[in-house]
Amino acid sequence: MRITNKMVTASYSRSLNILNRELNKLSEQVTTGRKFAKSSENTAAAISAYQLRRNLKKTDDYMENIMHAKDFLTMTESTLTLVHESVQNAMDRVRAGLNATSSSVERNILAEELETIQEQMLQTLNNNSIGIYCFGGSNTTSKPFEVDANGFLTYNGYTLKDLDPADPADADLIKKLKSDGLTLDLGLGLTVNTGEIDPNSVFTYSIPGIEVMVSGVSDVNGESVPNNLYDLLGAIVKELRKPDGEYDRERLDSLFAKLEDNAGILLNNITNVGAKTSYLDFMTERYEVLNINLKERQVHVESVDTALNIINFENHKVAYQAALRMGTKIIQQSIFDFLQ
């Protein structure tokens, strides 16, 4: 079979084009550091790369959620600490009053001091330093704690002393208020059942105010007394303002003992905030490690070995230049080669 110049030229052109494409591909890989520019070049790797990028984006979103929750919990802990300090200050004042033989004038002065602490406590509970009321649950736009016409503390419109845990209707409402918190998706397998988010699949990072200022009443010396700290201080103030003939030091002592017992609820909530923060720290470490692993996997899937790629590029460049020089010898010259 006779090999014509046309066949030699066509074969040479095909080989030269293949070398040129490979050289351009290697040049692009050296420049970008990526194995492929289009998914059609490596479909399997492109699918893996897409999944890795999606997982990295999810991890970044979870990390942002964690940072938001941590900031919120920091504010919550600071607020609870201030409330606890106010209660401790009130107890110190009452304790001093109990240990002294006080006149009605001295008791009225103490009552005014306690009323000031009450007001400070109410303002602190309605803390809104980042544009969100930290104890309002899903109610983040209006003050969760108010005082009704009778001077009793309300939470999201409900008078706390009137919510009786022993009453089935109130028990359901109390349960609803306690479960009404702010939630975030931290990658715990978010699920939605019949249009509602499964609470076990999200992280609740807020403390509902009803957990801080408990509901209901207790019996103190045969009289019903509100359980929440604000109204307890109010009951102490009321006792202190009684005239000498009606003032009952033993009742004041019983109210003070109830105040001391219920002050521990604040410490429990501060501990709860600490537990939530510790869990977020754990999740942060987990996602930091996951992020590193995903990025390493991404480099393996998408990136080239730079040193090896440069060597291959230089080898192909030498081969391409050699092919160009060879072409001057194997391709038949035409009349245009002799024209000046």
Side-chain angles (χ1 to χ4, degrees):
M1 175 181 173
R2 180 173 175 268
I3 300 176
T4 64
N5 287 331
K6 185 177 181 180
M7 293 171 62
V8 172
T9 303
S11 177
Y12 171 77
S13 297
R14 283 194 300 272
S15 300
L16 191 64
N17 287 333
I18 292 173
L19 278 172
N20 188 47
R21 282 196 300 269
E22 288 294 325
L23 189 63
N24 289 335
K25 180 180 179 180
L26 288 169
S27 176
E28 186 175 354
Q29 289 178 348
V30 170
T31 303
T32 63
R34 293 174 49 82
K35 289 181 180 179
F36 52 89
K38 297 182 291 185
S39 59
S40 57
E41 296 177 21
N42 192 333
T43 306
I47 293 174
S48 296
Y50 169 75
Q51 292 174 338
L52 287 168
R53 291 188 180 191
R54 183 179 60 183
N55 291 337
L56 280 168
K57 181 62 172 65
K58 283 184 179 180
T59 303
D60 290 340
D61 290 342
Y62 296 149
M63 291 288 285
E64 288 182 9
N65 288 345
I66 288 173
M67 292 303 299
H68 171 76
K70 277 187 174 182
D71 291 341
F72 188 91
L73 287 171
T74 299
M75 181 188 73
T76 301
E77 185 173 5
S78 299
T79 303
L80 286 173
T81 301
L82 289 174
V83 174
H84 185 259
E85 289 175 356
S86 295
V87 174
Q88 290 296 319
N89 187 19
M91 289 195 297
D92 290 342
R93 303 290 177 87
V94 177
R95 190 179 293 110
L98 285 170
N99 292 335
T101 305
S102 57
S103 65
S104 60
V105 174
E106 292 171 329
R107 291 199 305 271
N108 277 307
I109 293 174
L110 177 57
E112 290 179 3
E113 291 177 343
L114 294 181
E115 284 179 336
T116 301
I117 293 174
Q118 261 190 308
E119 184 61 30
Q120 291 173 349
M121 183 189 299
L122 183 62
Q123 292 176 357
T124 305
L125 288 169
N126 288 325
N127 183 21
N128 186 21
S129 62
I130 59 174
I132 297 175
Y133 291 99
C134 58
F135 296 121
S138 60
N139 167 33
T140 59
T141 57
S142 58
K143 291 180 179 179
F145 291 101
E146 298 283 358
V147 177
D148 64 14
N150 297 317
F152 293 110
L153 189 67
T154 67
Y155 173 67
N156 284 343
Y158 299 98
T159 302
L160 288 174
K161 79 175 186 64
D162 293 337
L163 295 178
D164 184 6
D167 186 336
D170 286 348
D172 289 339
L173 177 58
I174 292 171
K175 182 179 179 181
K176 180 180 178 182
L177 291 173
K178 286 184 176 182
S179 62
D180 179 33
L182 300 175
T183 60
L184 285 172
D185 180 16
L186 296 186
L188 304 176
L190 178 65
T191 56
V192 180
N193 299 321
T194 62
E196 294 186 0
I197 296 175
D198 181 359
N200 294 322
S201 66
V202 290
F203 177 75
T204 302
Y205 63 95
S206 66
I207 306 292
I210 195 170
E211 294 278 11
V212 179
M213 293 286 148
V214 293
S215 61
V217 295
S218 296
D219 181 79
V220 176
N221 291 354
E223 183 179 348
S224 294
V225 175
N227 288 323
N228 72 81
L229 296 172
Y230 182 90
D231 289 341
L232 266 175
L233 282 177
I236 292 174
V237 169
K238 184 179 178 180
E239 186 65 32
L240 288 169
R241 288 197 182 281
K242 290 180 179 179
D244 289 334
E246 298 178 15
Y247 168 67
D248 186 346
R249 188 184 183 284
E250 290 185 1
R251 185 173 185 276
L252 180 63
D253 190 49
S254 299
L255 290 171
F256 176 71
K258 185 66 177 176
L259 182 66
E260 279 189 313
D261 290 341
N262 288 7
I265 297 172
L266 289 173
L267 293 177
N268 291 339
N269 280 285
I270 292 173
T271 302
N272 189 15
V273 171
K276 288 178 180 290
T277 303
S278 296
Y279 178 76
L280 290 177
D281 289 337
F282 162 74
M283 293 299 291
T284 299
E285 293 178 4
R286 172 185 171 186
Y287 282 123
E288 285 175 349
V289 172
L290 179 60
N291 207 2
I292 292 172
N293 292 337
L294 287 172
K295 286 181 178 179
E296 289 178 353
R297 177 62 180 163
Q298 185 183 34
V299 169
H300 176 74
V301 172
E302 296 187 42
S303 301
V304 296
D305 185 334
T306 304
L308 181 62
N309 219 56
I310 291 174
I311 293 173
N312 290 335
F313 173 72
E314 293 296 331
N315 289 339
H316 274 73
K317 185 164 69 173
V318 171
Y320 182 72
Q321 292 172 347
L324 289 176
R325 288 192 297 270
M326 187 180 298
T328 60
K329 301 185 181 340
I330 64 175
I331 297 178
Q332 186 178 23
Q333 294 180 339
S334 67
I335 188 174
F336 297 104
D337 295 309
F338 297 98
L339 293 178
Q340 298 297 326

